[in-house]
Every structure is written in C-alpha cells, then in structure tokens.
C-alpha cells in the first residue's frame, strides 16, 4: 500500500513540484491550499507524513502545526515545515510549534524526497531486511 503525504501549500508551482517528485517515488499526495482545509483533510486522511508551508493565507504554518499537534491521532505524525524564510530562529519556531524537521525553499529536486524520507518510519514489511 502506498503511503500518503499531506501537503499544505498555497503556491501552485510548489505544490506541483513537490507532488510530482513524491508521486514519482510512489507516494500518494493529497494537498490543501490553506491551513483550515489542511487540518480538516489531516483528520479524515490520517496521512503518514505532513509537509507544511509556513507562509500560508488564513493561518500561518506555525498555527497550523500547533493545531495539528493538538489532534490526538496526529500527535506522532511526522510533520516537516517547508519555508522560504531563511531567517534566524525559523527552525526553532518550526520545532517549537510541533514540527519534526525543516526544509528550505526553493525545493531541490535532487534531495527533496531523501530529506523527507528521513522522517518517515521504515515500513514494517521492510524492517529487518538486509
Ligand atoms: Mn506559501
């Protein structure tokens, strides 16, 4: 069964690129253009991982991260912030709001999927194989 990644991102080009790269590696990608719809999708979808843009309309990514972490069933879901803010303290703010990691934009097609996979638990079917 392919694993599902929820992508919360308002920029269409970034959504397109991230979805393209992840689907090419066999992931199912579901996306939302803002925090409230992303939170709603996360509740119903129970994704294996959430990619979260920080600059979003309606709610910023930090607020979205805190809301998602408040949902019992999503407490342990890996969540990665994706942001173009290259500001000091941004990583700390992402982590403090509940994200497990942080990827900087622009998305690097060479490394993007690898960076994300560091946060995905190894599937049970692959555990223990040499
Ligand atoms: Mn954005």
């Amino acid at each position: 069964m392919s694993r599902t990644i929820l992508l919360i991102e308002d920029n269409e080009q970034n959504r397109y690129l991230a979805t393209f790269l992840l689907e090419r590696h066999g992931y199912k990608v579901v996306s939302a253009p803002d925090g409230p719809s992303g939170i709603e999708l996360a509740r119903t979808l129970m994704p294996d991982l959430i990619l979260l843009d920080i600059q979003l309309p309606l709610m910023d990514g930090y607020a979205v991260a805190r809301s998602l972490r408040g949902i019992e069933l999503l407490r342990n879901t890996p969540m990665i912030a994706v942001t173009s803010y290259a500001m000091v303290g941004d990583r700390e703010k992402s982590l403090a709001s509940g994200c497990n990691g942080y990827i900087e934009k622009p998305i690097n097609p060479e490394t993007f999927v690898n960076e994300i996979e560091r946060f995905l638990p190894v599937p049970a079917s692959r555990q223990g194989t040499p």
Side-chain angles (χ1 to χ4, degrees):
M1 204 175 92
S2 74
R3 292 193 284 175
T4 301
I5 295 181
L6 172 63
L7 170 65
I8 306 175
E9 163 69 78
D10 64 321
N11 181 281
E12 194 180 344
Q13 284 181 330
N14 287 331
R15 276 207 306 273
Y16 179 86
L17 178 58
T19 301
F20 171 80
L21 294 169
L22 289 164
E23 284 181 349
R24 202 174 59 176
H25 283 78
Y27 294 99
K28 182 184 173 194
V29 181
V30 178
S31 61
D34 59 58
S37 61
I39 292 165
E40 195 50 45
L41 266 177
R43 281 180 195 282
T44 53
L45 204 66
M46 294 299 299
D48 294 287
L49 181 143
I50 299 170
L51 279 174
L52 181 60
D53 181 26
I54 293 301
Q55 285 182 287
L56 286 168
L58 309 177
M59 294 168 84
D60 71 23
Y62 305 119
V64 177
R66 285 190 295 270
S67 288
L68 290 168
R69 277 294 180 248
I71 299 169
E72 183 63 36
L73 288 170
L74 297 171
R75 191 141 292 169
N76 298 313
T77 305
M79 202 155 63
I80 305 173
V82 186
T83 178
S84 48
Y85 285 163
M87 287 167 61
V88 176
D90 213 40
R91 175 181 292 267
E92 289 71 18
K93 271 171 87 176
S94 304
L95 299 178
S97 64
C99 292
N100 303 91
Y102 175 100
I103 294 177
E104 273 180 29
K105 289 179 188 170
I107 289 171
N108 179 347
E110 303 289 320
T111 58
F112 182 67
V113 175
N114 267 336
E115 286 187 76
I116 286 163
E117 286 180 335
R118 288 171 33 218
F119 296 95
L120 271 171
V122 178
S125 60
R126 257 195 273 159
Q127 267 167 16
T129 52

